[in-house]
Amino acid sequence: MDSRPFRPRLTIGGVPVHAMLVPFPIVCFTGAMLTDIAYVNSPQVQWANFSQWLLAFGLGFAGLAAICGLVDWFGNRTAARPGSGWLHMVGNVVVLALALINNFVHSRDGWTGVVPTGITLSVLTVAIMVVTGFIGHRMAYVHQRAQVRA
């Protein structure tokens, strides 16, 4: 196994495009969870509409971030691919699948689109996203610093 550090291939001004896009789905999926919670505690159906739009935009940006991440991943054939990279990728595929299913669930009318399935899927999506985000952060910052020092 080659010990050279993982270097992103798609960058703008030295900043990985994948890292620039990732905050958008994080905010959208977290926002969808929060608007689901607001809808459960409020009679305003507009909260459910906000959730559906946040999920849709989050999926769009997550798809773009995934494409950029895959380009970086496959562009580093000789670089070491830590096992945590696979866990990060598979976890994010699960997040995308849950968010897609959640968006379909939210397309139902009103209360049945959020309670109980929609809010459950929103919480699961965010929980898994926190774990995969932590893994991604460790890969990008901790492992890279350790490899550069060596």
Side-chain angles (χ1 to χ4, degrees), residues 84-116:
S84 57
W86 288 103
L87 187 58
H88 176 70
M89 183 170 49
V90 169
N92 284 329
V93 167
V94 171
V95 166
L96 280 170
L98 286 173
L100 181 64
I101 293 167
N102 198 10
N103 205 11
F104 287 134
V105 168
H106 274 77
S107 68
R108 294 187 284 193
D109 190 31
W111 187 259
T112 61
V114 177
V115 178

PDB file of all heavy atoms in Angstrom, residues 84-116:
ATOM      1  N   SER A  84     -11.667   3.750   6.520  1.00  0.00           N
ATOM      2  CA  SER A  84     -12.720   4.675   6.920  1.00  0.00           C
ATOM      3  C   SER A  84     -13.322   5.377   5.695  1.00  0.00           C
ATOM      4  O   SER A  84     -14.452   5.838   5.744  1.00  0.00           O
ATOM      5  CB  SER A  84     -12.182   5.702   7.918  1.00  0.00           C
ATOM      6  OG  SER A  84     -11.093   6.404   7.376  1.00  0.00           O
ATOM      7  N   GLY A  85     -12.568   5.431   4.590  1.00  0.00           N
ATOM      8  CA  GLY A  85     -13.101   6.019   3.355  1.00  0.00           C
ATOM      9  C   GLY A  85     -14.280   5.233   2.824  1.00  0.00           C
ATOM     10  O   GLY A  85     -15.270   5.797   2.366  1.00  0.00           O
ATOM     11  N   TRP A  86     -14.162   3.914   2.895  1.00  0.00           N
ATOM     12  CA  TRP A  86     -15.276   3.063   2.456  1.00  0.00           C
ATOM     13  C   TRP A  86     -16.482   3.249   3.363  1.00  0.00           C
ATOM     14  O   TRP A  86     -17.622   3.322   2.891  1.00  0.00           O
ATOM     15  CB  TRP A  86     -14.856   1.592   2.435  1.00  0.00           C
ATOM     16  CG  TRP A  86     -13.928   1.289   1.319  1.00  0.00           C
ATOM     17  CD1 TRP A  86     -12.575   1.109   1.391  1.00  0.00           C
ATOM     18  CD2 TRP A  86     -14.266   1.157  -0.066  1.00  0.00           C
ATOM     19  NE1 TRP A  86     -12.068   0.868   0.140  1.00  0.00           N
ATOM     20  CE2 TRP A  86     -13.077   0.890  -0.768  1.00  0.00           C
ATOM     21  CE3 TRP A  86     -15.459   1.246  -0.776  1.00  0.00           C
ATOM     22  CZ2 TRP A  86     -13.045   0.711  -2.149  1.00  0.00           C
ATOM     23  CZ3 TRP A  86     -15.426   1.057  -2.140  1.00  0.00           C
ATOM     24  CH2 TRP A  86     -14.236   0.792  -2.810  1.00  0.00           C
ATOM     25  N   LEU A  87     -16.241   3.326   4.662  1.00  0.00           N
ATOM     26  CA  LEU A  87     -17.339   3.526   5.613  1.00  0.00           C
ATOM     27  C   LEU A  87     -18.024   4.870   5.376  1.00  0.00           C
ATOM     28  O   LEU A  87     -19.253   4.969   5.413  1.00  0.00           O
ATOM     29  CB  LEU A  87     -16.802   3.436   7.046  1.00  0.00           C
ATOM     30  CG  LEU A  87     -17.822   3.445   8.166  1.00  0.00           C
ATOM     31  CD1 LEU A  87     -18.818   2.302   8.011  1.00  0.00           C
ATOM     32  CD2 LEU A  87     -17.114   3.345   9.506  1.00  0.00           C
ATOM     33  N   HIS A  88     -17.221   5.906   5.108  1.00  0.00           N
ATOM     34  CA  HIS A  88     -17.760   7.239   4.806  1.00  0.00           C
ATOM     35  C   HIS A  88     -18.635   7.181   3.554  1.00  0.00           C
ATOM     36  O   HIS A  88     -19.751   7.707   3.542  1.00  0.00           O
ATOM     37  CB  HIS A  88     -16.587   8.206   4.617  1.00  0.00           C
ATOM     38  CG  HIS A  88     -16.975   9.591   4.220  1.00  0.00           C
ATOM     39  ND1 HIS A  88     -17.611  10.458   5.075  1.00  0.00           N
ATOM     40  CD2 HIS A  88     -16.804  10.261   3.063  1.00  0.00           C
ATOM     41  CE1 HIS A  88     -17.807  11.604   4.460  1.00  0.00           C
ATOM     42  NE2 HIS A  88     -17.331  11.518   3.228  1.00  0.00           N
ATOM     43  N   MET A  89     -18.151   6.511   2.514  1.00  0.00           N
ATOM     44  CA  MET A  89     -18.892   6.445   1.255  1.00  0.00           C
ATOM     45  C   MET A  89     -20.195   5.642   1.413  1.00  0.00           C
ATOM     46  O   MET A  89     -21.259   6.097   1.004  1.00  0.00           O
ATOM     47  CB  MET A  89     -18.024   5.829   0.156  1.00  0.00           C
ATOM     48  CG  MET A  89     -18.698   5.805  -1.189  1.00  0.00           C
ATOM     49  SD  MET A  89     -17.624   5.348  -2.567  1.00  0.00           S
ATOM     50  CE  MET A  89     -16.821   3.889  -2.004  1.00  0.00           C
ATOM     51  N   VAL A  90     -20.107   4.482   2.026  1.00  0.00           N
ATOM     52  CA  VAL A  90     -21.307   3.646   2.193  1.00  0.00           C
ATOM     53  C   VAL A  90     -22.318   4.343   3.104  1.00  0.00           C
ATOM     54  O   VAL A  90     -23.525   4.344   2.821  1.00  0.00           O
ATOM     55  CB  VAL A  90     -20.923   2.256   2.744  1.00  0.00           C
ATOM     56  CG1 VAL A  90     -22.141   1.465   3.173  1.00  0.00           C
ATOM     57  CG2 VAL A  90     -20.129   1.478   1.706  1.00  0.00           C
ATOM     58  N   GLY A  91     -21.832   4.971   4.168  1.00  0.00           N
ATOM     59  CA  GLY A  91     -22.730   5.710   5.063  1.00  0.00           C
ATOM     60  C   GLY A  91     -23.448   6.840   4.357  1.00  0.00           C
ATOM     61  O   GLY A  91     -24.641   7.065   4.566  1.00  0.00           O
ATOM     62  N   ASN A  92     -22.735   7.536   3.466  1.00  0.00           N
ATOM     63  CA  ASN A  92     -23.371   8.626   2.731  1.00  0.00           C
ATOM     64  C   ASN A  92     -24.345   8.120   1.677  1.00  0.00           C
ATOM     65  O   ASN A  92     -25.341   8.797   1.383  1.00  0.00           O
ATOM     66  CB  ASN A  92     -22.314   9.541   2.115  1.00  0.00           C
ATOM     67  CG  ASN A  92     -21.693  10.434   3.160  1.00  0.00           C
ATOM     68  OD1 ASN A  92     -22.332  10.812   4.131  1.00  0.00           O
ATOM     69  ND2 ASN A  92     -20.438  10.762   2.976  1.00  0.00           N
ATOM     70  N   VAL A  93     -24.103   6.946   1.129  1.00  0.00           N
ATOM     71  CA  VAL A  93     -25.083   6.341   0.220  1.00  0.00           C
ATOM     72  C   VAL A  93     -26.362   6.016   0.999  1.00  0.00           C
ATOM     73  O   VAL A  93     -27.477   6.237   0.508  1.00  0.00           O
ATOM     74  CB  VAL A  93     -24.503   5.092  -0.474  1.00  0.00           C
ATOM     75  CG1 VAL A  93     -25.578   4.283  -1.170  1.00  0.00           C
ATOM     76  CG2 VAL A  93     -23.402   5.490  -1.458  1.00  0.00           C
ATOM     77  N   VAL A  94     -26.206   5.534   2.225  1.00  0.00           N
ATOM     78  CA  VAL A  94     -27.370   5.265   3.085  1.00  0.00           C
ATOM     79  C   VAL A  94     -28.110   6.567   3.383  1.00  0.00           C
ATOM     80  O   VAL A  94     -29.347   6.618   3.338  1.00  0.00           O
ATOM     81  CB  VAL A  94     -26.945   4.542   4.382  1.00  0.00           C
ATOM     82  CG1 VAL A  94     -28.090   4.462   5.378  1.00  0.00           C
ATOM     83  CG2 VAL A  94     -26.403   3.160   4.071  1.00  0.00           C
ATOM     84  N   VAL A  95     -27.370   7.639   3.676  1.00  0.00           N
ATOM     85  CA  VAL A  95     -27.993   8.949   3.931  1.00  0.00           C
ATOM     86  C   VAL A  95     -28.790   9.395   2.711  1.00  0.00           C
ATOM     87  O   VAL A  95     -29.938   9.850   2.834  1.00  0.00           O
ATOM     88  CB  VAL A  95     -26.925  10.008   4.314  1.00  0.00           C
ATOM     89  CG1 VAL A  95     -27.499  11.413   4.255  1.00  0.00           C
ATOM     90  CG2 VAL A  95     -26.380   9.726   5.699  1.00  0.00           C
ATOM     91  N   LEU A  96     -28.206   9.271   1.514  1.00  0.00           N
ATOM     92  CA  LEU A  96     -28.912   9.647   0.287  1.00  0.00           C
ATOM     93  C   LEU A  96     -30.173   8.812   0.094  1.00  0.00           C
ATOM     94  O   LEU A  96     -31.230   9.342  -0.273  1.00  0.00           O
ATOM     95  CB  LEU A  96     -27.998   9.491  -0.927  1.00  0.00           C
ATOM     96  CG  LEU A  96     -27.013  10.615  -1.172  1.00  0.00           C
ATOM     97  CD1 LEU A  96     -26.023  10.224  -2.238  1.00  0.00           C
ATOM     98  CD2 LEU A  96     -27.739  11.878  -1.560  1.00  0.00           C
ATOM     99  N   ALA A  97     -30.080   7.513   0.332  1.00  0.00           N
ATOM    100  CA  ALA A  97     -31.246   6.634   0.164  1.00  0.00           C
ATOM    101  C   ALA A  97     -32.351   7.004   1.157  1.00  0.00           C
ATOM    102  O   ALA A  97     -33.527   7.091   0.779  1.00  0.00           O
ATOM    103  CB  ALA A  97     -30.833   5.177   0.335  1.00  0.00           C
ATOM    104  N   LEU A  98     -31.972   7.227   2.414  1.00  0.00           N
ATOM    105  CA  LEU A  98     -32.972   7.619   3.421  1.00  0.00           C
ATOM    106  C   LEU A  98     -33.621   8.952   3.077  1.00  0.00           C
ATOM    107  O   LEU A  98     -34.845   9.120   3.220  1.00  0.00           O
ATOM    108  CB  LEU A  98     -32.329   7.699   4.808  1.00  0.00           C
ATOM    109  CG  LEU A  98     -31.996   6.389   5.492  1.00  0.00           C
ATOM    110  CD1 LEU A  98     -31.211   6.647   6.778  1.00  0.00           C
ATOM    111  CD2 LEU A  98     -33.260   5.601   5.795  1.00  0.00           C
ATOM    112  N   ALA A  99     -32.817   9.907   2.614  1.00  0.00           N
ATOM    113  CA  ALA A  99     -33.363  11.223   2.258  1.00  0.00           C
ATOM    114  C   ALA A  99     -34.300  11.119   1.057  1.00  0.00           C
ATOM    115  O   ALA A  99     -35.340  11.795   1.007  1.00  0.00           O
ATOM    116  CB  ALA A  99     -32.237  12.207   1.981  1.00  0.00           C
ATOM    117  N   LEU A 100     -33.959  10.273   0.093  1.00  0.00           N
ATOM    118  CA  LEU A 100     -34.837  10.085  -1.070  1.00  0.00           C
ATOM    119  C   LEU A 100     -36.164   9.456  -0.655  1.00  0.00           C
ATOM    120  O   LEU A 100     -37.239   9.937  -1.041  1.00  0.00           O
ATOM    121  CB  LEU A 100     -34.137   9.230  -2.118  1.00  0.00           C
ATOM    122  CG  LEU A 100     -34.926   8.967  -3.398  1.00  0.00           C
ATOM    123  CD1 LEU A 100     -35.185  10.274  -4.142  1.00  0.00           C
ATOM    124  CD2 LEU A 100     -34.179   7.981  -4.278  1.00  0.00           C
ATOM    125  N   ILE A 101     -36.089   8.413   0.139  1.00  0.00           N
ATOM    126  CA  ILE A 101     -37.321   7.778   0.637  1.00  0.00           C
ATOM    127  C   ILE A 101     -38.121   8.781   1.460  1.00  0.00           C
ATOM    128  O   ILE A 101     -39.349   8.882   1.331  1.00  0.00           O
ATOM    129  CB  ILE A 101     -36.983   6.524   1.473  1.00  0.00           C
ATOM    130  CG1 ILE A 101     -36.375   5.446   0.577  1.00  0.00           C
ATOM    131  CG2 ILE A 101     -38.215   5.999   2.198  1.00  0.00           C
ATOM    132  CD1 ILE A 101     -35.716   4.308   1.333  1.00  0.00           C
ATOM    133  N   ASN A 102     -37.422   9.558   2.287  1.00  0.00           N
ATOM    134  CA  ASN A 102     -38.082  10.569   3.112  1.00  0.00           C
ATOM    135  C   ASN A 102     -38.785  11.614   2.253  1.00  0.00           C
ATOM    136  O   ASN A 102     -39.889  12.066   2.583  1.00  0.00           O
ATOM    137  CB  ASN A 102     -37.053  11.236   4.033  1.00  0.00           C
ATOM    138  CG  ASN A 102     -37.698  11.963   5.187  1.00  0.00           C
ATOM    139  OD1 ASN A 102     -38.886  11.853   5.436  1.00  0.00           O
ATOM    140  ND2 ASN A 102     -36.886  12.704   5.911  1.00  0.00           N
ATOM    141  N   ASN A 103     -38.163  11.998   1.149  1.00  0.00           N
ATOM    142  CA  ASN A 103     -38.807  12.972   0.264  1.00  0.00           C
ATOM    143  C   ASN A 103     -40.087  12.387  -0.342  1.00  0.00           C
ATOM    144  O   ASN A 103     -41.093  13.094  -0.468  1.00  0.00           O
ATOM    145  CB  ASN A 103     -37.831  13.417  -0.827  1.00  0.00           C
ATOM    146  CG  ASN A 103     -38.176  14.786  -1.366  1.00  0.00           C
ATOM    147  OD1 ASN A 103     -39.003  15.498  -0.822  1.00  0.00           O
ATOM    148  ND2 ASN A 103     -37.540  15.156  -2.446  1.00  0.00           N
ATOM    149  N   PHE A 104     -40.064  11.123  -0.696  1.00  0.00           N
ATOM    150  CA  PHE A 104     -41.282  10.479  -1.203  1.00  0.00           C
ATOM    151  C   PHE A 104     -42.349  10.402  -0.113  1.00  0.00           C
ATOM    152  O   PHE A 104     -43.534  10.624  -0.375  1.00  0.00           O
ATOM    153  CB  PHE A 104     -40.989   9.084  -1.745  1.00  0.00           C
ATOM    154  CG  PHE A 104     -40.252   9.084  -3.054  1.00  0.00           C
ATOM    155  CD1 PHE A 104     -39.170   8.252  -3.255  1.00  0.00           C
ATOM    156  CD2 PHE A 104     -40.635   9.922  -4.096  1.00  0.00           C
ATOM    157  CE1 PHE A 104     -38.482   8.251  -4.464  1.00  0.00           C
ATOM    158  CE2 PHE A 104     -39.963   9.929  -5.301  1.00  0.00           C
ATOM    159  CZ  PHE A 104     -38.882   9.090  -5.485  1.00  0.00           C
ATOM    160  N   VAL A 105     -41.931  10.094   1.115  1.00  0.00           N
ATOM    161  CA  VAL A 105     -42.887  10.039   2.233  1.00  0.00           C
ATOM    162  C   VAL A 105     -43.491  11.424   2.473  1.00  0.00           C
ATOM    163  O   VAL A 105     -44.693  11.560   2.694  1.00  0.00           O
ATOM    164  CB  VAL A 105     -42.200   9.503   3.510  1.00  0.00           C
ATOM    165  CG1 VAL A 105     -43.076   9.706   4.734  1.00  0.00           C
ATOM    166  CG2 VAL A 105     -41.853   8.033   3.344  1.00  0.00           C
ATOM    167  N   HIS A 106     -42.661  12.457   2.392  1.00  0.00           N
ATOM    168  CA  HIS A 106     -43.152  13.821   2.602  1.00  0.00           C
ATOM    169  C   HIS A 106     -44.083  14.294   1.482  1.00  0.00           C
ATOM    170  O   HIS A 106     -44.782  15.285   1.654  1.00  0.00           O
ATOM    171  CB  HIS A 106     -41.983  14.802   2.750  1.00  0.00           C
ATOM    172  CG  HIS A 106     -41.462  14.898   4.136  1.00  0.00           C
ATOM    173  ND1 HIS A 106     -40.644  13.937   4.690  1.00  0.00           N
ATOM    174  CD2 HIS A 106     -41.626  15.838   5.094  1.00  0.00           C
ATOM    175  CE1 HIS A 106     -40.334  14.282   5.918  1.00  0.00           C
ATOM    176  NE2 HIS A 106     -40.926  15.433   6.190  1.00  0.00           N
ATOM    177  N   SER A 107     -44.076  13.616   0.367  1.00  0.00           N
ATOM    178  CA  SER A 107     -44.965  14.029  -0.728  1.00  0.00           C
ATOM    179  C   SER A 107     -46.422  13.668  -0.444  1.00  0.00           C
ATOM    180  O   SER A 107     -47.313  14.130  -1.147  1.00  0.00           O
ATOM    181  CB  SER A 107     -44.511  13.408  -2.055  1.00  0.00           C
ATOM    182  OG  SER A 107     -44.697  12.015  -2.051  1.00  0.00           O
ATOM    183  N   ARG A 108     -46.642  12.849   0.580  1.00  0.00           N
ATOM    184  CA  ARG A 108     -48.026  12.600   0.992  1.00  0.00           C
ATOM    185  C   ARG A 108     -48.600  13.873   1.590  1.00  0.00           C
ATOM    186  O   ARG A 108     -47.882  14.813   1.906  1.00  0.00           O
ATOM    187  CB  ARG A 108     -48.077  11.463   2.014  1.00  0.00           C
ATOM    188  CG  ARG A 108     -47.673  10.131   1.429  1.00  0.00           C
ATOM    189  CD  ARG A 108     -47.890   9.022   2.403  1.00  0.00           C
ATOM    190  NE  ARG A 108     -46.842   9.034   3.417  1.00  0.00           N
ATOM    191  CZ  ARG A 108     -46.619   8.054   4.264  1.00  0.00           C
ATOM    192  NH1 ARG A 108     -47.381   6.983   4.259  1.00  0.00           N
ATOM    193  NH2 ARG A 108     -45.658   8.127   5.140  1.00  0.00           N
ATOM    194  N   ASP A 109     -49.873  13.886   1.786  1.00  0.00           N
ATOM    195  CA  ASP A 109     -50.547  15.109   2.215  1.00  0.00           C
ATOM    196  C   ASP A 109     -50.474  15.315   3.721  1.00  0.00           C
ATOM    197  O   ASP A 109     -50.859  14.440   4.491  1.00  0.00           O
ATOM    198  CB  ASP A 109     -52.005  15.047   1.769  1.00  0.00           C
ATOM    199  CG  ASP A 109     -52.717  16.369   1.954  1.00  0.00           C
ATOM    200  OD1 ASP A 109     -52.049  17.410   1.838  1.00  0.00           O
ATOM    201  OD2 ASP A 109     -53.927  16.355   2.205  1.00  0.00           O
ATOM    202  N   GLY A 110     -49.945  16.475   4.118  1.00  0.00           N
ATOM    203  CA  GLY A 110     -50.019  16.947   5.498  1.00  0.00           C
ATOM    204  C   GLY A 110     -49.431  16.032   6.553  1.00  0.00           C
ATOM    205  O   GLY A 110     -48.309  15.573   6.454  1.00  0.00           O
ATOM    206  N   TRP A 111     -50.234  15.777   7.578  1.00  0.00           N
ATOM    207  CA  TRP A 111     -49.806  15.065   8.782  1.00  0.00           C
ATOM    208  C   TRP A 111     -49.245  13.688   8.468  1.00  0.00           C
ATOM    209  O   TRP A 111     -48.223  13.286   9.038  1.00  0.00           O
ATOM    210  CB  TRP A 111     -50.997  14.966   9.738  1.00  0.00           C
ATOM    211  CG  TRP A 111     -50.660  14.400  11.069  1.00  0.00           C
ATOM    212  CD1 TRP A 111     -50.875  13.134  11.501  1.00  0.00           C
ATOM    213  CD2 TRP A 111     -50.037  15.088  12.159  1.00  0.00           C
ATOM    214  NE1 TRP A 111     -50.438  12.978  12.777  1.00  0.00           N
ATOM    215  CE2 TRP A 111     -49.915  14.166  13.222  1.00  0.00           C
ATOM    216  CE3 TRP A 111     -49.579  16.377  12.345  1.00  0.00           C
ATOM    217  CZ2 TRP A 111     -49.346  14.497  14.446  1.00  0.00           C
ATOM    218  CZ3 TRP A 111     -49.014  16.707  13.573  1.00  0.00           C
ATOM    219  CH2 TRP A 111     -48.904  15.771  14.597  1.00  0.00           C
ATOM    220  N   THR A 112     -49.844  12.956   7.550  1.00  0.00           N
ATOM    221  CA  THR A 112     -49.382  11.598   7.234  1.00  0.00           C
ATOM    222  C   THR A 112     -48.032  11.601   6.516  1.00  0.00           C
ATOM    223  O   THR A 112     -47.359  10.573   6.485  1.00  0.00           O
ATOM    224  CB  THR A 112     -50.407  10.846   6.367  1.00  0.00           C
ATOM    225  OG1 THR A 112     -50.588  11.559   5.144  1.00  0.00           O
ATOM    226  CG2 THR A 112     -51.724  10.685   7.081  1.00  0.00           C
ATOM    227  N   GLY A 113     -47.638  12.733   5.963  1.00  0.00           N
ATOM    228  CA  GLY A 113     -46.342  12.824   5.314  1.00  0.00           C
ATOM    229  C   GLY A 113     -45.203  13.056   6.291  1.00  0.00           C
ATOM    230  O   GLY A 113     -44.041  12.900   5.939  1.00  0.00           O
ATOM    231  N   VAL A 114     -45.531  13.415   7.522  1.00  0.00           N
ATOM    232  CA  VAL A 114     -44.492  13.721   8.505  1.00  0.00           C
ATOM    233  C   VAL A 114     -44.539  12.761   9.689  1.00  0.00           C
ATOM    234  O   VAL A 114     -43.504  12.294  10.153  1.00  0.00           O
ATOM    235  CB  VAL A 114     -44.615  15.183   8.993  1.00  0.00           C
ATOM    236  CG1 VAL A 114     -43.592  15.484  10.066  1.00  0.00           C
ATOM    237  CG2 VAL A 114     -44.459  16.140   7.820  1.00  0.00           C
ATOM    238  N   VAL A 115     -45.735  12.464  10.175  1.00  0.00           N
ATOM    239  CA  VAL A 115     -45.876  11.672  11.394  1.00  0.00           C
ATOM    240  C   VAL A 115     -46.364  10.279  11.049  1.00  0.00           C
ATOM    241  O   VAL A 115     -47.341  10.141  10.322  1.00  0.00           O
ATOM    242  CB  VAL A 115     -46.857  12.361  12.368  1.00  0.00           C
ATOM    243  CG1 VAL A 115     -47.050  11.543  13.622  1.00  0.00           C
ATOM    244  CG2 VAL A 115     -46.368  13.765  12.694  1.00  0.00           C
ATOM    245  N   PRO A 116     -45.737   9.243  11.529  1.00  0.00           N
ATOM    246  CA  PRO A 116     -44.465   9.170  12.255  1.00  0.00           C
ATOM    247  C   PRO A 116     -43.268   8.896  11.334  1.00  0.00           C
ATOM    248  O   PRO A 116     -42.131   9.108  11.705  1.00  0.00           O
ATOM    249  CB  PRO A 116     -44.668   8.002  13.201  1.00  0.00           C
ATOM    250  CG  PRO A 116     -45.509   7.036  12.404  1.00  0.00           C
ATOM    251  CD  PRO A 116     -46.416   7.929  11.564  1.00  0.00           C
TER     252      PRO A 116
END
